[in-house]
């Protein structure tokens, strides 16, 4: 549940691009003539109420001109082939410039929105308005279209995070995610579903508007494997054109008010969307109704019952609040609570590696890590996922590498910053790392995987941020280790004895560990086991004896590492692997 209700507005800004495939650039001329005035007036309203909206702008409108190259407009775009528009998708594009054809170019509009106060979010509504869910929009079309949007926005210094789909019909989510989008508007109620013929849905939707029924309020839908968040739409703010003229003006506010009330009460999102053309007919009345909505929402924002957010702001909220692995919430708070203890265990001046099983285990990991690092060229960039209080991150740095740590525990990060002020660190969810693809030469992740139920998502995220050919060093907790903790914790989980373990964890056998690493795409996997014996138990009974035995048997213990069959009984599994270079 959200802390409080959210009202969000997304505006599909497309001019002729939104309708040309159905002849709309001619049919709606009257509306497009008023387009810029409408946008200016909306921005004035937003200024008055201090509201930021999400403007999803068609990429072609970022241009102030375009022309043919070798007889073709936009040769870099793989043409959509929708069966309702058999010709070349760009056959209506005039190939001229803004002063000649202002329905097709809109760099002035982009600038107007970009310079608005308060700051508005600029999002994407595709480059040339293909219908992503239709089979006529191939993967290649989607990719060339989205890539173009991203590069045009970049030229204007705009980073695109949010997307609304043409005809509000999502498709090719993997491409969206590949190009750095984080959040998109999804389909709302059944009237926007793929069910049934268009005419029936339209009629139902109209009846819905006519009845001023309460629109749905929605929750973010987190699409884990794509790293995307979907915010379904709640209500389309309708124009007064065609059959929609039948809707009494006031019903627009009436419905929206019900939506806002529900968002406040249920702590959910009311997502209103429209096109600027909604205001083109019967303008005064429609603007008045819209202003009533803004006024109502802003009143409730003033009473601290409601947040008015852009899509990007909702995404930020999700990122900081939603923890997406069911093991994580408890393990994060456990690490927050014990940050001091962990930091002390790792602190260098007090360190005696034979003092306890915990310390000795860390020695084995550290020895293996130093071996791993010795094979890498100095100066490489290494990410430490689940860096905790930063001991290993700093170790990497001391070895002559560039490093970056991420952790989800605020207290751990605070500890890191005070112990190692020069070590760069970010607070982030390991399943949603704030780095672009192929950013690191190597990744290490020590005693982190065990705190994830869905380990594959973590591993795939590591795979994403590491460069092809880069190496990973990662540890796992063995299920059948002689210290019996794996079995103990697993039994507690199976019998739901939550209160007697600090948090549920994931444990591996050598085989399951290997399998999951392979499944996540890694190759050249080598797994080694370290440290045998029930010392964690002995530590509790007779710490002095435990410490003595650990030291006494270290050499013997190292020898056991060579025996593959014993891996499952060890206390630590360490894998080294590679992200394959694609040929
Ligand atoms: Zn063009």
């Amino acid at each position: 549940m959200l802390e409080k209700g959210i009202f969000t507005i997304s505006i599909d800004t497309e001019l002729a691009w939104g309708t040309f495939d159905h002849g709309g650039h001619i049919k709606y001329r009257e509306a497009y003539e008023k387009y810029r005035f409408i946008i200016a007036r909306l921005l004035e309203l937003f200024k008055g109420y201090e509201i930021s909206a999400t403007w999803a702008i068609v990429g072609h409108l970022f241009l102030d001109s375009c022309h043919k190259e070798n007889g073709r407009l936009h040769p870099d775009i793989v043409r959509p082939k929708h069966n309702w528009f058999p010709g070349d998708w760009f056959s209506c594009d005039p190939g001229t410039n803004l002063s000649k054809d202002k329905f097709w170019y809109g760099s002035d509009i982009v600038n107007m929105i970009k310079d608005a106060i308060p700051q508005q979010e600029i999002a994407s509504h595709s480059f040339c308005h293909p219908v992503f869910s239709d089979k006529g929009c191939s993967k290649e079309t989607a990719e060339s279209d989205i890539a173009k949007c991203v590069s045009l926005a970049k030229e204007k210094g705009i980073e695109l995070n949010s997307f609304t789909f043409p005809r509000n019909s999502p498709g090719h989510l993997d491409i969206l995610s590949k190009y750095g989008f984080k959040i998109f508007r999804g389909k709302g109620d059944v009237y926007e579903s793929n069910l049934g013929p268009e005419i029936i849905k339209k009629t139902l939707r109209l009846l819905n508007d006519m009845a001023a029924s309460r629109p749905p309020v929605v929750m973010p839908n987190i699409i884990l494997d794509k790293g995307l968040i979907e915010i379904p739409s709640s209500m389309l703010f309708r124009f007064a054109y065609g059959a929609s003229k039948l809707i009494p003006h006031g019903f627009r506010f009436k419905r929206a008010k019900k939506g806002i009330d529900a968002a406040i009460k249920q702590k959910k999102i009311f997502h209103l969307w429209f096109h600027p053309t909604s205001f083109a007919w019967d303008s005064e009345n429609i603007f008045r109704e819209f202003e009533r909505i803004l006024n109502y929402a802003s009143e409730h924002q003033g009473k601290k019952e409601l947040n008015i957010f852009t899509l990007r702001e909702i995404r930020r909220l999700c990122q900081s609040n939603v923890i997406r692995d069911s093991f994580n919430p408890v393990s994060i708070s456990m690490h927050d609570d014990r940050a001091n203890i962990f930091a002390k265990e790792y602190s260098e001046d007090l360190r005696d590696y034979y003092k306890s099983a915990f310390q000795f285990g860390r020695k084995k990991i550290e020895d293996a890590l130093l071996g791993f690092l010795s094979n890498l060229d100095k100066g490489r960039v290494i990410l430490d996922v689940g860096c905790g209080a930063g001991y290993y991150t700093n170790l990497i740095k001391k070895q002559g590498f560039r490093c970056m740590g991420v952790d989800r525990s605020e207290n751990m990060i605070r500890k890191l910053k005070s112990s190692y002020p020069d070590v760069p660190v970010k607070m982030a969810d390991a399943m949603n790392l704030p780095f672009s693809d192929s950013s690191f030469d190597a990744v290490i992740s020590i005693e982190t995987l065990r705190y994830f139920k869905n380990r594959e998502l973590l591993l795939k995220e590591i795979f994403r941020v590491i460069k092809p050919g880069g190496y990973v060093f990662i540890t796992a907790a063995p299920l059948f280790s002689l210290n019996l903790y794996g079995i103990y914790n697993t039994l507690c989980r199976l019998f739901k004895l939550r209160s007697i373990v600090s948090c549920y964890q994931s444990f591996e056998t050598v085989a399951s560990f290997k399998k999951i690493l392979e499944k996540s795409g890694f190759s050249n996997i080598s797994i080694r086991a370290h440290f045998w014996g029930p010392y964690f138990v002995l530590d509790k009974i007779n710490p002095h004896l435990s410490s003595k035995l650990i030291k006494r048997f270290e050499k013997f213990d190292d020898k056991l590492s060579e025996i593959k069959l014993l891996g499952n009984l060890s206390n630590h599994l360490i894998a080294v692997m590679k992200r394959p270079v694609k040929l």
Side-chain angles (χ1 to χ4, degrees):
M1 206 198 282
L2 302 165
E3 199 186 305
K4 52 176 120 164
I6 293 174
F7 174 43
T8 189
I9 303 170
S10 57
I11 306 166
D12 293 359
T13 311
E14 50 194 24
L15 268 168
W17 288 96
T19 57
F20 77 90
D21 53 331
H22 295 292
H25 57 305
I26 297 158
K27 189 173 163 195
Y28 302 122
R29 283 201 74 87
E30 182 197 351
Y32 295 139
E33 288 290 351
K34 298 180 188 165
Y35 216 79
R36 286 163 168 86
F37 298 109
I38 292 169
I39 290 175
R41 194 161 163 188
L42 285 170
L43 290 173
E44 263 316 297
L45 278 176
F46 290 147
K47 189 175 177 184
Y49 288 95
E50 292 180 47
I51 286 174
S52 300
T54 305
W55 296 78
I57 306 176
V58 158
H60 198 282
L61 298 183
F62 280 64
L63 300 171
D64 46 27
S65 69
C66 67
H67 53 85
K68 288 187 176 169
E69 292 163 52
N70 300 324
R72 245 163 100 81
L73 284 165
H74 309 293
D76 49 339
I77 303 294
V78 179
R79 283 11 192 194
K81 293 207 182 323
H82 295 306
N83 58 20
W84 61 86
F85 195 86
D88 178 23
W89 192 252
F90 290 97
S91 57
C92 296
D93 181 347
T96 55
N97 57 53
L98 176 59
S99 56
K100 267 198 166 142
D101 290 292
K102 61 178 184 171
F103 293 179
W104 300 90
Y105 305 91
S107 56
D108 58 326
I109 292 177
V110 176
N111 291 337
M112 185 157 66
I113 296 169
K114 196 176 159 215
D115 298 338
I117 297 169
Q119 195 178 42
Q120 306 291 307
E121 178 184 354
I122 294 187
S124 180
H125 189 47
S126 81
F127 174 70
C128 64
H129 212 268
V131 178
F132 281 65
S133 60
D134 184 73
K135 62 182 188 314
C137 178
S138 66
K139 196 175 170 211
E140 290 70 29
T141 297
E143 180 150 11
S144 62
D145 181 282
I146 286 179
K148 183 104 175 171
C149 293
V150 171
S151 80
L152 286 172
K154 210 171 171 185
E155 280 170 28
K156 284 193 176 282
I158 296 166
E159 192 197 332
L160 299 171
N161 292 138
S162 313
F163 197 88
T164 70
F165 285 93
R167 311 268 139 83
N168 207 29
S169 201
H172 298 292
L173 295 185
D174 41 344
I175 307 247
L176 217 56
S177 135
K178 181 175 169 187
Y179 284 85
F181 287 92
K182 305 290 182 198
I183 186 163
F184 67 96
R185 187 181 64 219
K187 282 177 185 288
D189 47 36
V190 288
Y191 314 113
E192 283 177 20
S193 72
N194 291 325
L195 298 167
E198 204 52 40
I199 181 74
I200 296 194
K201 282 187 290 183
K202 276 192 172 159
T203 313
L204 283 173
R205 190 197 258 180
L206 182 65
L207 289 174
N208 212 13
D209 279 313
M210 299 285 286
S213 64
R214 178 175 77 68
V217 283
V218 300
M219 283 298 279
N221 172 23
I222 293 161
I223 303 171
L224 279 182
D225 58 332
K226 306 256 191 307
L228 281 167
I229 298 168
E230 173 189 28
I231 308 294
S233 70
S234 299
M235 173 180 158
L236 173 66
F237 185 81
R238 303 275 251 157
F239 52 29
Y241 180 84
S244 299
K245 273 194 279 194
L246 296 170
I247 306 166
H249 303 126
F251 279 26
R252 290 172 180 77
F253 170 66
K254 207 169 162 185
R255 282 196 80 204
K257 178 181 176 296
K258 287 180 184 174
I260 292 170
D261 289 342
I264 292 169
K265 199 168 162 210
Q266 299 177 32
K267 301 192 176 182
K268 288 187 174 181
I269 301 170
F270 176 58
H271 187 177
L272 185 75
W273 71 286
F274 55 84
H275 305 90
T277 44
S278 283
F279 298 83
W281 296 276
D282 203 359
S283 294
E284 290 315 310
N285 285 323
I286 301 293
F287 265 112
R288 191 192 58 233
E289 291 307 313
F290 186 66
E291 184 166 1
R292 286 174 77 191
I293 298 174
L294 297 187
N295 187 38
Y296 189 72
S298 136
E299 244 176 63
H300 285 279
Q301 173 159 261
K303 289 185 200 157
K304 309 232 176 290
E305 297 169 335
L306 182 76
N307 282 318
I308 306 177
F309 280 159
T310 61
L311 291 179
R312 180 186 283 148
E313 286 167 327
I314 295 178
R315 188 256 169 176
R316 269 193 213 125
L317 186 80
C318 290
Q319 201 185 10
S320 57
N321 283 353
V322 180
I323 295 163
R324 301 175 309 168
D325 188 275
S326 62
F327 282 6
N328 282 186
V330 182
S331 75
I332 291 165
S333 70
M334 187 271 274
H335 282 85
D336 270 335
D337 292 347
R338 300 187 189 172
N340 279 326
I341 301 171
F342 276 113
K344 203 171 154 203
E345 287 281 359
Y346 280 109
S347 75
E348 286 150 276
D349 4 328
L350 305 170
R351 206 123 188 219
D352 170 5
Y353 283 113
Y354 301 99
K355 193 182 80 188
S356 65
F358 178 88
Q359 285 298 347
F360 186 69
R362 292 313 182 270
K363 178 175 194 291
K364 294 292 113 184
I365 292 171
E366 189 170 326
D367 290 348
L369 177 64
L370 289 170
F372 171 79
L373 294 175
S374 69
N375 290 319
L376 303 176
D377 298 332
K378 306 282 171 195
R380 292 292 162 111
V381 193
I382 304 179
L383 175 68
D384 183 0
V385 175
C387 63
Y391 176 76
Y392 296 107
T393 334
N394 185 54
L395 185 74
I396 293 170
K397 190 163 173 281
K398 282 197 311 195
Q399 297 296 311
F401 299 95
R402 284 184 287 159
C403 64
M404 167 63 79
V406 289
D407 205 276
R408 191 60 178 69
S409 156
E410 219 176 317
N411 288 346
M412 283 293 200
I413 288 184
R414 210 168 287 142
K415 280 279 150 201
L416 181 149
K417 283 183 175 164
S418 77
S419 315
Y420 312 111
D422 299 336
V423 169
V425 64
K426 283 190 181 182
M427 174 153 152
D429 181 352
M431 292 177 145
N432 188 16
L433 293 168
F435 309 108
S436 40
D437 298 357
S438 312
S439 301
F440 297 93
D441 297 300
V443 175
I444 70 163
S445 184
I446 291 167
E447 296 299 87
T448 298
L449 189 70
R450 61 193 298 167
Y451 298 111
F452 287 78
K453 185 170 191 202
N454 200 337
R455 289 104 71 217
E456 209 178 316
L457 287 181
L458 168 69
L459 290 164
K460 282 188 169 157
E461 186 64 353
I462 289 176
F463 186 93
R464 182 183 70 78
V465 299
I466 196 168
K467 289 177 187 166
Y471 283 90
V472 178
F473 177 97
I474 188 165
T475 72
L479 177 60
F480 298 113
S481 88
L482 292 176
N483 69 37
L484 302 180
Y485 189 70
I487 291 176
Y488 171 72
N489 190 293
T490 304
L491 287 175
C492 288
R493 175 156 68 91
L494 295 177
F495 292 104
K496 300 197 163 50
L497 301 168
R498 173 60 200 89
S499 55
I500 57 172
V501 280
S502 54
C503 53
Y504 295 148
Q505 300 178 23
S506 290
F507 298 89
E508 310 292 344
T509 62
V510 175
S512 74
F513 193 24
K514 183 153 191 238
K515 194 171 159 199
I516 198 170
L517 298 177
E518 279 170 350
K519 225 176 143 193
S520 310
F522 293 102
S523 68
N524 303 47
I525 299 164
S526 105
I527 297 174
R528 257 188 102 116
H530 297 269
F531 190 19
W532 282 260
Y535 288 105
F536 288 87
V537 185
L538 192 58
D539 262 353
K540 294 209 162 63
I541 304 166
N542 188 338
H544 184 68
L545 177 67
S546 173
S547 163
K548 228 169 129 180
L549 290 174
I550 286 172
K551 202 165 185 174
R552 176 88 176 72
F553 287 111
E554 182 175 14
K555 288 237 160 65
F556 175 68
D557 195 84
D558 287 345
K559 280 265 178 277
L560 295 180
S561 255
E562 320 268 323
I563 307 170
K564 281 229 157 95
L565 276 171
L566 294 178
N568 278 325
L569 303 176
S570 71
N571 293 333
H572 292 286
L573 291 174
I574 300 178
V576 170
M577 62 217 181
K578 186 179 176 182
R579 174 174 169 175
V581 184
K582 267 192 206 129
L583 293 174

